[in-house]
């Protein structure tokens, strides 16, 4: 009896030791990959604990994905050592009386009988700029608005110019720099002031004095900027005109996304702005369903998600994606 207990104890000890050694190796590799340096032992141990909690969550979720019980996978990306409070602090919509900000913006409805292609991906047009990284500044609203203008301008002129998010952060008084804003308000600013290029007005991840030079700006011949109620209107606009800006809830599940069709936990209260550059449908052989999805371009860098993109389930208002959609029309 004592021998059996000893063998059980020894087995448990060996398993725990091997597991600890494995996590030590994973932790060191992860820190090296993302160039993490915490300054002192106490901070590192705190981050290690948070990281391990994320690691356990990711492993449990991916076990479900391996069993065909989830359509997306999670990964140990650069957000893995962030606490829930820190993740929440990355939200970049203005949390004030503008919580229903689109009341004065024209609405663009379409007929539900409008025919559109089964799939669209504006990346194939060569008019979608490389994925960018907003960093620690809550400027997602600027990246979403600029990305929409970049592609629509390119579709009209056949020239892809990367415009300046920093100009919006510094100069757009209707929004609040690194503390948040709304894409449609940024579109109003751009329609009146034009945009300098990113190389002439470089991004700095912080708000500074406005250095806009009108003589160096590109000006746009817009017919209107508008909002889009409901996902069928969003799909028609994407198919017929080009990418649109939307708001989503950047939940903890979404932050750890690394591939597949995302349909994880999130609220329907948007707090982060992104760009829809297309849509499609994927057949799920396990459930024999056709799953509609959006192709969403984020501003968290190419090392997040699928090279900076996420496929999000469509036609279920996932993460509030239909709540604050907006786009622009250029004169022909």
């Amino acid at each position: 009896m004592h021998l059996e207990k000893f063998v059980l104890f020894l087995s448990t000890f060996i398993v725990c030791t091997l597991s600890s050694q494995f996590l030590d190796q994973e932790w060191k590799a992860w820190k090296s990959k993302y160039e993490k340096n915490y300054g002192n032992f106490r901070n590192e141990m705190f981050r290690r604990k948070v990281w391990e909690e994320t690691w356990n969550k990711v492993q449990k979720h991916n076990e479900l994905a391996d069993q065909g019980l989830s359509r997306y996978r999670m990964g140990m990306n650069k957000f893995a050592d962030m606490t829930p409070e820190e993740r929440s602090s990355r939200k970049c919509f203005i949390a004030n009386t503008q919580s229903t900000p689109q009341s004065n913006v024209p609405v663009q409805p379409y007929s539900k009988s409008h025919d559109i292609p089964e799939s669209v991906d504006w990346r194939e047009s060569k008019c979608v700029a490389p994925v960018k990284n907003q960093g620690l500044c809550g400027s997602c609203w600027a990246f979403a608005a600029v990305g929409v203008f970049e592609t629509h301008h390119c579709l009209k002129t056949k020239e892809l110019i990367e415009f300046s998010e920093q100009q919006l952060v510094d100069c757009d008084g209707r929004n609040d720099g690194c503390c948040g804003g709304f894409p449609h308000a940024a579109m109003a600013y751009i329609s009146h002031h034009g945009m300098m290029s990113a190389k002439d007005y470089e991004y700095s991840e912080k708000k500074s004095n406005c250095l806009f030079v009108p003589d160096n700006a590109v000006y746009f011949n817009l017919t209107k900027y508008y909002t889009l109620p409901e996902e069928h209107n969003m799909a028609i606009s994407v198919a017929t005109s080009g990418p649109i800006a939307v708001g989503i809830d950047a939940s903890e599940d979404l932050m750890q996304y690394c591939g597949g069709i995302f349909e994880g936990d999130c609220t329907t209260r948007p707090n982060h702005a992104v760009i829809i550059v297309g849509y499609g449908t994927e057949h799920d052989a396990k459930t024999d369903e056709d799953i509609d999805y959006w192709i969403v371009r984020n501003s968290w860098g190419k090392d997040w998600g699928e090279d900076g993109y996420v496929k999000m389930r469509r036609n279920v208002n996932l993460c509030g994606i239909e709540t604050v959609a907006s786009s622009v029309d250029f004169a022909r």
Side-chain angles (χ1 to χ4, degrees), residues 300-315:
W300 290 345
K302 293 183 70 174
D303 57 353
W304 176 85
E306 296 183 343
D307 295 323
Y309 286 83
V310 52
K311 289 186 287 188
M312 296 185 67
R313 183 151 188 182
R314 181 163 58 103
N315 295 326

Side-chain angles (χ1 to χ4, degrees), residues 44-71:
E44 177 153 345
M45 288 301 97
F46 173 76
R47 292 299 169 185
R48 168 69 181 262
K49 182 176 183 296
V50 175
W51 179 89
E52 286 191 16
E53 290 172 355
T54 304
W55 190 87
N56 288 327
K57 178 177 180 176
V58 168
Q59 303 315 306
K60 289 178 181 178
H61 174 84
N62 287 345
E63 286 176 8
L64 296 176
D66 291 339
Q67 297 167 24
L69 300 176
S70 175
R71 296 188 177 94

Side-chain angles (χ1 to χ4, degrees), residues 104-280:
N104 296 323
V105 182
V107 178
Q108 177 66 67
Y110 293 94
S111 167
K112 289 191 176 181
S113 62
H114 201 297
D115 289 331
I116 59 173
E118 291 184 0
S119 64
V120 171
D121 188 346
W122 286 106
R123 293 174 294 185
E124 297 172 357
S125 70
K126 309 300 183 185
C127 279
V128 177
V131 170
K132 304 177 186 181
N133 190 350
Q134 70 186 73
L136 298 177
C137 173
S139 53
C140 62
W141 57 274
F143 280 81
V146 166
V148 169
F149 269 81
E150 286 172 341
T151 299
H152 282 257
H153 179 260
C154 177
L155 292 173
K156 186 175 187 300
T157 65
K158 310 305 180 185
E159 180 184 14
L160 179 57
I161 300 174
E162 293 188 38
F163 292 113
S164 173
E165 293 84 10
Q166 191 65 41
Q167 178 187 334
L168 292 174
V169 171
D170 292 346
C171 308
D172 181 1
R174 292 187 63 187
N175 289 303
D176 198 14
C178 289
C179 295
F182 293 103
H184 79 274
M187 291 175 185
Y189 169 89
I190 296 169
S191 67
H192 288 98
H193 296 88
M195 289 291 291
M196 292 175 63
S197 71
K199 66 180 180 180
D200 289 336
Y201 201 152
E202 295 183 352
Y203 187 63
S204 65
E205 291 190 38
K206 61 183 180 181
K207 183 171 182 175
S208 303
N209 293 329
C210 181
L211 301 176
F212 175 62
V213 180
D215 289 346
N216 292 344
V218 174
Y219 296 90
F220 306 98
N221 187 10
L222 294 183
T223 56
K224 62 181 175 180
Y225 60 94
Y226 52 89
T227 62
L228 293 152
E230 302 178 352
E231 291 190 69
H232 81 273
N233 288 297
M234 293 158 56
I236 295 169
S237 184
V238 171
T240 59
S241 298
I244 64 174
V246 296
I248 58 173
D249 174 24
S251 67
E252 291 187 41
D253 284 7
L254 181 66
M255 291 184 79
Q256 297 307 137
Y257 166 88
C258 74
I261 299 177
F262 180 78
E263 52 184 2
D265 287 342
C266 55
T267 74
T268 55
R269 298 185 299 275
N271 52 39
H272 179 61
V274 291
I275 306 167
I276 293 176
V277 301
Y279 60 82

